[in-house]
Amino acid sequence: MRHLVITVGVGNGVAHGIAHVIRQLRPNRVYYLVTEESEQKTIPELRNDEDLRLVPREEKTIWLKGEAKESLDRVFGVVHRLIEEIRQSDSCAEVFLDCTSGTKIMSAGAVMAACFGGVDTVTYVSGERESGRVVSGTERISEQSLVDYWLEDQKRFLFTLFDRYDFVGCYAILEQIRKRSALQRLQNFVALWKPVVRFYHYWDLFDHGKCEPKDVEGLPPRNKRFLGKLRGGKFPESDQCRLADLLNNAERRKDEGRFDDAVARLYRVMEGIAQTILKGKGIDSSGVDLEKLPEGVRQKYEGFRNDKGVVQLPLFRSFELLRDLNEPLGIQFFDDHELQDLLRIRNQSVLAHGIEPVTEVMYKRLREKVYAYAVVVVGSLDTLCQDGKFPSHGEILQELQSP
């Protein structure tokens, strides 16, 4: 259905202009935004218009009483609620706003509400003027699209969510834009940003196999370089990138205030550190080949077989094996009581085995410790973390504008 919201003023020719708009747009429903004065003087003229009676429509009067007509906030609130009610009652509503008449405050507040409410078009009557009024018989309807103003607002929202790593929220905004209008510029915007959002969403979920940079515009070269190494599978390069990726992911969770999630990732970094060192010695911690261990420790780890006969080493066992192999980090780990206490805090968190919440202070203390261990294994850790850091929307826009 077609809905028309009209600000109603007073004066010579006002009713004639409004009637012209209704006859031209032929709405199914008309909502008159009136003051006490315009309801008494202008609305009766409209109801007596013989030509207007031939246009089938429903009508509703929306009052701006007392000082409301001079309050931008009040006018905005009234019109915004009206537009929401229209959309709730008619999911396929085509909404127009005409602001030809009425006070400046009425027109300004109504247009603002139309922008925020997703109204596509604002109309106003123009033509030859006499004493500031459009001369009867010269009227023509001018239309101003609000889609671009709405799009700018949606862009700001989208970019805020993107910078907060809320990629699911970004999908929702892009879908709203896609559905809003078939205009090519809106569809082009969605086609440009959806692959970018999808790329970083999968990356954030560690689903690197779906992070294909081909045909995704705006990706910083450093990200593509990092991901190429991570996905390459070459040891130790790929494993080192994976440690940097986990550290970056932990920082993103910290930025979101999800400290339990952040600490869980740091715990995984510590596991990865031990696994990387063992892998360099040809030992797989998820299925240790005891023949690759020195005879002096082989018997000890024989006793660690699970019910499937496999020797799988969790974090502490992995560092225990490193200590038994006289690896410096293995020895350091068991002398580092502060680190072990921090790791136990993770084990007592809600996302692990306990009920204790994790604070930002706990996260920062553990990250400092974990980073000190990781940099021993990954000498270029700072560079890798920088290369694998997610960009802001501003960096994406800069890449899109570069030749």
Side-chain angles (χ1 to χ4, degrees):
M1 292 177 61
R2 177 170 286 197
H3 302 256
L4 175 61
V5 180
I6 300 181
T7 55
V8 181
V10 295
N12 236 358
V14 168
H16 185 78
I18 292 174
H20 179 76
V21 173
I22 295 172
R23 287 195 300 270
Q24 292 298 311
L25 295 182
R26 302 190 72 82
N28 303 99
R29 290 180 182 169
V30 178
Y31 307 83
Y32 296 117
L33 190 66
V34 301
T35 62
E36 293 95 331
E37 187 179 9
S38 62
E39 199 277 336
Q40 292 172 6
K41 296 180 178 180
T42 307
I43 296 298
E45 287 188 57
L46 288 169
R47 289 175 178 152
N48 290 330
D49 190 304
E50 294 291 339
D51 293 335
L52 203 55
R53 290 177 183 174
L54 301 177
V55 181
R57 67 196 183 280
E58 298 177 26
E59 293 184 343
K60 184 176 181 180
T61 301
I62 310 298
W63 285 86
L64 288 173
K65 295 184 178 180
E67 297 179 356
K69 62 180 180 293
E70 298 300 331
S71 168
L72 192 64
D73 289 344
R74 296 281 293 279
V75 174
F76 174 87
V78 168
V79 179
H80 193 262
R81 283 192 296 273
L82 172 60
I83 294 170
E84 285 185 335
E85 289 171 6
I86 292 171
R87 298 240 181 252
Q88 289 171 4
S89 64
D90 181 5
S91 60
C92 298
E94 185 182 10
V95 185
F96 290 80
L97 168 72
D98 185 84
C99 58
T100 304
S101 66
T103 66
K104 291 182 175 66
I105 291 295
M106 286 171 66
S107 296
V111 171
M112 286 172 58
C115 286
F116 282 96
V119 172
D120 287 342
T121 306
V122 167
T123 65
Y124 56 94
V125 176
S126 59
E128 296 179 16
R129 291 184 176 271
E130 189 175 282
S131 301
R133 302 283 183 182
V134 175
V135 176
S136 178
T138 70
E139 302 97 336
R140 63 179 181 275
I141 295 179
S142 296
E143 296 186 356
Q144 173 65 54
S145 172
L146 296 181
V147 172
D148 288 328
Y149 301 106
W150 175 85
L151 179 60
E152 284 303 311
D153 186 56
Q154 294 301 300
K155 282 182 181 179
R156 284 192 291 271
F157 194 14
L158 173 74
F159 294 154
T160 297
L161 295 180
F162 185 86
D163 291 347
R164 291 172 54 186
Y165 322 116
D166 184 355
F167 302 116
V168 173
C170 288
Y171 281 132
I173 296 296
L174 289 170
E175 184 62 11
Q176 285 182 21
I177 296 173
R178 185 190 69 80
K179 289 181 176 180
R180 170 65 190 273
S181 171
L183 286 173
Q184 196 60 51
R185 58 184 177 274
L186 268 68
Q187 299 304 315
N188 288 345
F189 180 82
V190 173
L192 180 66
W193 275 92
K194 194 169 184 179
V196 174
V197 170
R198 183 190 299 116
F199 181 87
Y200 287 105
H201 185 207
Y202 282 132
W203 188 342
D204 203 40
L205 297 175
F206 303 108
D207 197 348
H208 304 114
K210 293 181 180 176
C211 297
E212 180 52 61
K214 185 180 179 182
D215 299 327
V216 182
E217 299 181 57
L219 302 181
R222 59 182 178 82
N223 279 177
K224 291 190 275 189
R225 180 173 60 246
F226 177 87
L227 201 60
K229 293 177 182 178
L230 191 152
R231 293 173 55 181
K234 182 181 177 182
F235 182 80
E237 184 177 68
S238 178
D239 300 70
Q240 292 174 345
C241 285
R242 198 168 300 278
L243 293 176
D245 193 45
L246 280 162
L247 282 168
N248 281 346
N249 196 293
E251 278 291 284
R252 293 196 294 274
R253 301 294 78 81
K254 182 267 294 182
D255 290 344
E256 294 174 323
R258 294 163 54 186
F259 305 120
D260 288 79
D261 285 325
V263 164
R265 282 144 177 79
L266 293 180
Y267 192 93
R268 182 68 188 91
V269 173
M270 287 303 300
E271 286 182 327
I273 290 169
Q275 289 168 353
T276 300
I277 299 173
L278 290 171
K279 190 174 180 179
K281 297 178 175 296
I283 301 171
D284 181 358
S285 65
S286 64
V288 179
D289 182 354
L290 298 183
E291 294 299 320
K292 295 184 177 181
L293 302 185
E295 270 189 49
V297 298
R298 195 175 299 166
Q299 188 61 39
K300 173 182 177 180
Y301 289 88
E302 181 69 44
F304 295 153
R305 291 189 185 275
N306 59 24
D307 54 2
K308 295 181 180 179
V310 180
V311 178
Q312 294 178 315
L313 304 181
L315 187 151
F316 277 80
R317 289 289 190 201
S318 294
F319 275 98
E320 187 175 349
L321 177 55
L322 289 177
R323 182 181 62 179
D324 291 339
L325 296 175
N326 291 316
E327 276 292 324
L329 277 189
I331 298 169
Q332 178 181 336
F333 179 85
F334 285 98
D335 287 337
D336 194 340
H337 300 296
E338 182 183 0
L339 173 60
Q340 292 182 54
D341 288 343
L342 289 168
L343 291 173
R344 290 190 183 96
I345 288 175
R346 176 266 172 188
N347 286 333
Q348 294 163 6
S349 71
V350 175
L351 295 184
H353 313 295
I355 58 173
E356 295 298 321
V358 176
T359 66
E360 184 174 6
V361 171
M362 294 174 185
Y363 165 79
K364 288 181 175 179
R365 286 172 58 200
L366 181 57
R367 189 188 187 283
E368 184 178 351
K369 280 288 185 180
V370 170
Y371 188 88
Y373 278 73
V375 78
V376 174
V377 179
V378 188
S380 58
L381 187 59
D382 282 342
T383 300
L384 288 179
C385 284
Q386 182 57 40
D387 284 352
K389 184 179 179 181
F390 280 16
S392 67
H393 80 275
E395 189 175 354
I396 298 289
L397 292 174
Q398 193 172 20
E399 287 296 329
L400 289 169
Q401 294 167 2
S402 64

